[in-house]
């Protein structure tokens, strides 16, 4: 089992040393747990891809300790970048910008751009400050699996006896960061996440959201932007997601089916389900985001034949959650 460390000063110092020395450290952020390596050390970064089983064409987000360190990694820090960073950092927004040469190819998957984020979680912030280097960190799960929102989830996912995990409790948002590209004249949301599109639009006016479902071959051929794999965030149990609320829930005799739902809904055939997880009985999308991955894990461990997931109202965070459920479906 991995080593789960409470974030004492001594443990933070040891973890920062380990990172600087080229090792991997998993740590809490306000979105999900990250698997970190020194972003400027390609060999260390290679360890992330290896442990996650992540394909090399999927670039990593680089975490920084403030706006100034972010500026140093970008060749063209724009006025727009400054505006968004001032408004949303530290926090769950990732900015994609032209990269400086010092950012290794492995981190950006050979792209001329780098994804940057200043996280707000105190454990992430202290680690960044103490390590004194930018930290490349994707979610600390096996590729395409469910993102971890607690130290125990990370240990279960990665099962590496050499891995250190800095325990910062359960994640406040529970959903990945929103990724916005500022590379072209018009900003584009590349990934829906913890900052709702509406919050960005309040700052920028109407913005485009990139075409979302691509497959691995399109990515490898370079025809699509990375990180939009149609299969992602998946439990092992088949998940059926339908765009229509309340549909697809027919349960056959002898079948063990779990239901993932939201809000104060009437479930007419509730007794037919072997397990029901309501992401937020009061209908609060923030609470739903926080509970999403834990609920998926719970259902995944309930020895079910399949999971049926009902969509949330497609506004604000509901839209980002629906995006995850759609990708989690088989
Ligand atoms: P994660 O799996 O949470 O580490 O998120 C990584 C995601 O961030 C990728 O899958 C992309 O969607 C996005 N990303 C990271 N780096 C870049 C980049 N250089 N250009 C475009 N998107 C990026
Ligand atoms: Mg991930």
């Amino acid at each position: 089992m991995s080593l789960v460390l409470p974030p004492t000063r001594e443990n933070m110092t040891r973890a920062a040393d380990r990172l600087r020395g080229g090792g991997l450290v998993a740590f809490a952020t306000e979105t999900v747990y990250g698997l970190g390596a020194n972003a400027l050390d390609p060999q260390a970064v290679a360890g992330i891809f290896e442990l996650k089983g992540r394909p090399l064409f999927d670039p990593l987000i680089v975490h920084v300790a403030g706006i100034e360190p972010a500026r140093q990694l970008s060749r063209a820090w724009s006025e727009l970048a400054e505006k968004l960073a001032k408004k949303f950092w530290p926090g769950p927004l990732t900015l994609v910008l032209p990269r400086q040469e010092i950012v290794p190819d492995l981190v950006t998957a050979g792209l001329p751009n780098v994804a940057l984020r200043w996280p707000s979680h105190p454990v992430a912030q202290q680690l960044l400050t103490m390590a004194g280097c930018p930290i490349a960190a994707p979610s600390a799960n096996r590729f395409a699996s469910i993102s971890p929102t607690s130290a125990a989830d990370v240990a279960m996912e990665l099962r590496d006896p050499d891995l250190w995990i800095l325990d910062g409790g359960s994640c406040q948002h529970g959903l990945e960061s929103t990724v916005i590209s500022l590379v072209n004249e018009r900003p584009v949301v590349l990934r829906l996440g913890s900052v709702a599109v509406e919050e960005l639009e309040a700052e920028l006016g109407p913005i485009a959201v990139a075409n979302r479902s691509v497959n691995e071959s399109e990515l490898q051929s370079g025809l699509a932007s990375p990180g939009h794999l149609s299969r992602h965030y998946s439990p092992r149990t088949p998940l059926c997601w339908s765009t229509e609320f309340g549909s697809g829930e027919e349960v056959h005799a002898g079948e063990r089916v779990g239901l993932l739902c939201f809000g104060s809904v009437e479930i007419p055939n509730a007794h037919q389900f072997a397990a029901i997880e309501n992401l937020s009985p009061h209908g609060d999308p923030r609470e739903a985001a926080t509970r999403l991955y834990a609920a998926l894990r719970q259902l995944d461990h309930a020895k079910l034949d399949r999971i049926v997931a009902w969509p949330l109202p497609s506004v604000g965070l509901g839209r980002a959650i629906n995006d995850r459920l759609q990708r989690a479906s088989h």
Side-chain angles (χ1 to χ4, degrees):
M1 257 310 173
S2 317
L3 192 57
V4 175
L5 302 166
T8 60
R9 178 134 199 114
E10 194 196 339
N11 286 338
M12 296 297 299
T13 308
R14 288 167 65 206
D17 286 347
R18 193 176 169 101
L19 270 180
R20 262 196 314 270
L24 300 184
V25 174
F27 59 97
T29 84
E30 70 277 21
T31 57
V32 301
Y33 273 69
L35 177 62
N38 178 350
L40 303 182
D41 177 346
Q43 222 165 322
V45 171
I48 294 179
F49 285 95
E50 194 176 37
L51 186 55
K52 277 188 60 105
R54 182 175 173 116
L56 292 175
F57 54 76
D58 198 359
L60 305 179
I61 293 172
V62 176
H63 296 75
V64 289
I67 293 183
E68 190 45 42
R71 242 191 235 121
Q72 285 169 17
L73 296 178
S74 169
R75 195 160 37 72
W77 182 265
S78 59
E79 244 170 71
L80 205 53
E82 186 74 16
K83 178 174 175 173
L84 291 177
K86 282 204 166 125
K87 173 76 189 174
F88 293 101
W89 281 5
L93 182 70
T94 297
L95 306 178
V96 174
L97 289 154
R99 69 158 165 173
Q100 283 291 6
E101 289 290 308
I102 48 162
V103 182
D105 274 331
L106 199 51
V107 170
T108 69
L111 294 167
N113 312 312
V114 61
L116 299 166
R117 180 165 98 82
W118 178 17
S120 67
H121 195 293
V123 167
Q125 291 199 343
Q126 274 172 40
L127 187 64
L128 280 160
T129 310
M130 291 171 94
C133 60
I135 300 176
S139 51
N141 51 277
R142 299 273 313 158
F143 177 66
S145 174
I146 305 170
S147 301
T149 52
S150 72
D153 289 349
V154 178
M156 282 259 287
E157 263 293 324
L158 296 176
R159 297 177 182 280
D160 177 356
D162 291 332
L163 181 66
W164 289 12
I165 306 167
L166 288 173
D167 190 352
S170 25
C171 301
Q172 177 202 342
H173 293 289
L175 196 66
E176 291 80 357
S177 62
T178 300
V179 180
I180 184 167
S181 169
L182 304 178
V183 166
N184 297 312
E185 205 176 318
R186 297 183 62 110
V188 181
V189 171
L190 297 181
R191 176 175 77 182
L192 299 169
S194 286
V195 173
V197 172
E198 289 89 337
E199 291 177 75
L200 292 168
E201 289 187 327
E203 298 300 311
L204 308 176
I207 40 179
V209 177
N211 174 17
R212 288 174 290 135
S213 274
V214 301
N215 59 38
E216 294 190 17
S217 63
E218 282 174 290
L219 269 183
Q220 276 165 325
S221 66
L223 290 177
S225 45
H228 307 116
L229 290 175
S230 46
R231 192 181 64 88
H232 214 133
Y233 315 104
S234 298
R236 285 178 190 84
T237 314
L239 184 137
C240 325
W241 186 76
S242 72
T243 45
E244 231 176 290
F245 176 79
S247 70
E249 78 271 35
E250 201 189 332
V251 177
H252 305 289
E255 205 191 9
R256 278 179 63 81
V257 180
L259 177 68
L260 188 71
C261 58
F262 170 82
S264 56
V265 287
E266 185 76 38
I267 306 163
N269 57 339
H271 64 280
Q272 294 186 313
F273 291 101
I276 297 178
E277 287 285 329
N278 191 327
L279 291 176
S280 171
H282 323 288
D284 173 5
R286 280 209 172 268
E287 183 187 25
T290 320
R291 295 206 52 238
L292 174 66
Y293 293 130
L296 281 174
R297 270 173 208 284
Q298 190 91 21
L299 291 172
D300 209 15
H301 293 149
K303 300 196 165 59
L304 301 167
D305 298 308
R306 65 189 170 99
I307 301 166
V308 171
W310 286 351
L312 277 70
S314 199
V315 288
L317 288 185
R319 195 169 161 193
I321 295 168
N322 287 342
D323 170 75
R324 298 302 186 276
L325 289 174
Q326 189 179 357
R327 284 166 211 273
S329 65
H330 290 238

